[in-house]
Amino acid sequence: MISATRLEAAAAAVTVLSNRPQVTDWALRYFGPWWNATSVDAADVCADAVVIADVDPDGYEAITRLVDDGRPVDTVDYAKHELLVAQDGELIVATSPSEGIAYRSTPSSGRLVLAGTDVQPLALAAARIAREAIRGQLLRDGWAVLHSSAVVRPEDGAGLLTFGGKGAGKTTTALLLASHGWQLLANDRVLVRPTGERDVEVVPWPSAAALGLGLMHSLGWDVLAQKHLRTGGSFHPTQHESVTEALLAGDHTPLWENAKRERKVQVFPDQFPDLFGVPLATGGRAAGLLFPQVETDAAPDVIDGARTLGEDDFMSGATEDRYPDVFRQAQGVDGGGRESARTEVAARLAELPHHAVRLSHDIPASAAVLCKVADAI
């Protein structure tokens, strides 16, 4: 029996179909309310963009043979796996041997077929491809991608976008505001588009959120996470086992991989409202920009700062993509959006209020400062 999940964001839509309900259930959970994910009757599917992801070992072998039948093959790093890609006219075929997944794409039709040997990696791959299908449609429709967290005020849809480099406090800012009356729109990136004469429309970019053990403890969420795990719950499967062990042990000491990359809790989007009581937003309009910096022992406050948007605040296909557009879902548009869209978004955001704030590990004091700034916008 074929099951189906439909995703919608702004004017973009894609439907995931599969012979295994685990695949479509994964898309339903992963995208949830952020991209209006709903179960639909597979017999009624007529969307232009369709991702068909079946557990089909024979299909996997057949597509893999197409890759290996003499066409020139490119080797691409895709989602941390080696992907072998070949093309014959418009037909694009690819295989990921380590995952046991093969792909067949015809970009003009919006139809992409995945054949896998195991249901879990297939479910993850289908969600990635579906998300790229939505992004491709939005990029072609004039949207761009910002490296920003975001929250939305439910009363009027006003959105606050938070910018900064790694460790600046983007996630902390968003979660503190979302714990004090705002809705969480995004943890790390957003899709934006100029609309009307002056506005910038904002929609989420769904993904698992990476939260450090220290931040979880400061928010008081480590106790909730520990209870969740002890009662048989889990977090995103990309979470490292050592992080799960630390949560169970009540240890919030940061864990480092190769002394460079912190291992973090990987939170599903639906776990924000269901587990931590943080409401999600599906869209909004930009109303202000925040530029936080974290100083552990300093008093939280609004500070002087001349920070404005820079090139690093915009995502691009060259700088942020673990998922290069090998299947041409964006049809040649850069992964961060057209230059014209980025330029117009930057000009409109430059006209909005900008606030630099200093945060610390004093969570109540940091939240108070952020709420004071947010309430004035």
Side-chain angles (χ1 to χ4, degrees):
M1 182 173 179
I2 303 300
S3 58
T5 292
R6 181 173 174 81
L7 314 174
E8 297 178 342
V14 64
T15 304
V16 180
L17 298 100
S18 179
N19 62 356
R20 297 295 178 89
Q22 297 97 316
V23 174
T24 52
D25 287 348
W26 180 272
L28 186 67
R29 180 183 187 187
Y30 193 83
F31 298 105
W34 264 341
W35 274 4
N36 304 295
T38 55
S39 295
V40 296
D41 189 335
D44 296 333
V45 171
C46 58
D48 290 337
V50 176
V51 173
I52 301 171
D54 288 340
V55 175
D56 180 5
D58 291 340
Y60 167 75
E61 294 294 340
I63 297 174
T64 297
R65 284 195 297 272
L66 289 176
V67 178
D68 295 334
D69 74 349
R71 296 180 177 88
V73 175
D74 292 324
T75 301
V76 179
D77 183 13
Y78 191 84
K80 298 183 178 180
H81 293 275
E82 184 178 87
L83 186 70
L84 307 177
V85 185
Q87 186 168 351
D88 184 1
E90 190 188 14
L91 176 67
I92 301 169
V93 288
T95 184
S96 175
S98 63
E99 297 175 284
I101 300 171
Y103 304 79
R104 186 174 68 247
S105 171
T106 50
S108 65
S109 71
R111 178 187 177 96
L112 205 150
V113 174
L114 287 73
T117 58
D118 184 68
V119 68
Q120 181 168 325
L122 180 65
L124 271 65
R128 288 194 296 264
I129 289 295
R131 186 171 60 186
E132 293 305 303
I134 292 282
R135 173 161 70 160
Q137 292 176 50
L138 293 177
L139 294 178
R140 299 196 307 271
D141 198 29
W143 293 75
V145 185
L146 289 176
H147 188 197
S148 165
S149 69
V151 292
V152 171
R153 187 162 53 205
E155 293 84 359
D156 59 3
L160 283 174
L161 306 180
T162 302
F163 298 88
K166 190 177 183 64
K170 295 190 301 297
T171 297
T172 300
T173 297
L175 295 182
L176 287 179
L177 287 171
S179 299
H180 289 77
W182 292 67
Q183 296 175 330
L184 181 64
L185 184 79
N187 171 66
D188 186 61
R189 69 188 71 179
V190 293
L191 288 145
V192 291
R193 180 182 68 170
T195 184
E197 294 184 2
R198 300 178 59 184
D199 286 342
V200 174
E201 185 179 0
V202 188
V203 298
W205 173 258
S207 66
L211 309 182
L213 289 166
L215 177 58
M216 291 283 289
H217 177 69
S218 297
L219 292 168
W221 291 2
D222 54 338
V223 176
L224 297 172
Q226 183 186 69
K227 181 180 179 181
H228 176 66
L229 291 170
R230 287 181 174 176
T231 55
S234 62
F235 290 97
H236 194 278
T238 57
Q239 179 170 297
H240 197 274
E241 184 179 348
S242 63
V243 175
T244 302
E245 293 171 351
L247 288 172
L248 286 169
D251 184 358
H252 56 272
T253 306
L255 297 171
W256 296 94
E257 183 175 324
N258 301 325
K260 295 180 179 180
R261 181 181 180 89
E262 185 179 358
R263 291 173 175 167
K264 298 184 178 183
V265 183
Q266 301 292 327
V267 180
F268 278 104
D270 69 342
Q271 290 177 323
F272 281 114
D274 294 348
L275 187 56
F276 302 123
V278 171
L280 302 181
T282 59
R285 57 173 179 80
L289 281 61
L290 297 177
F291 300 96
Q293 62 185 54
V294 177
E295 297 180 21
T296 304
D297 299 321
D301 203 353
V302 179
I303 58 177
D304 293 331
R307 170 80 155 82
T308 58
L309 289 186
E311 187 65 27
D312 289 344
D313 296 312
F314 285 84
M315 294 294 195
S316 75
T319 60
E320 64 91 16
D321 266 336
R322 287 189 299 160
Y323 317 118
D325 192 18
V326 294
F327 301 111
R328 299 190 179 177
Q329 292 172 294
Q331 297 181 16
V333 179
D334 180 83
R338 291 189 175 93
E339 185 63 32
S340 58
R342 292 152 62 97
T343 299
E344 182 61 24
V345 165
R348 295 188 182 198
L349 292 181
E351 299 298 319
L352 299 179
H354 289 45
H355 295 283
V357 292
R358 181 174 59 229
L359 308 178
S360 76
H361 288 180
D362 184 337
I363 291 299
S366 295
V369 168
L370 289 170
C371 288
K372 180 180 178 180
V373 171
D375 289 345
I377 291 177

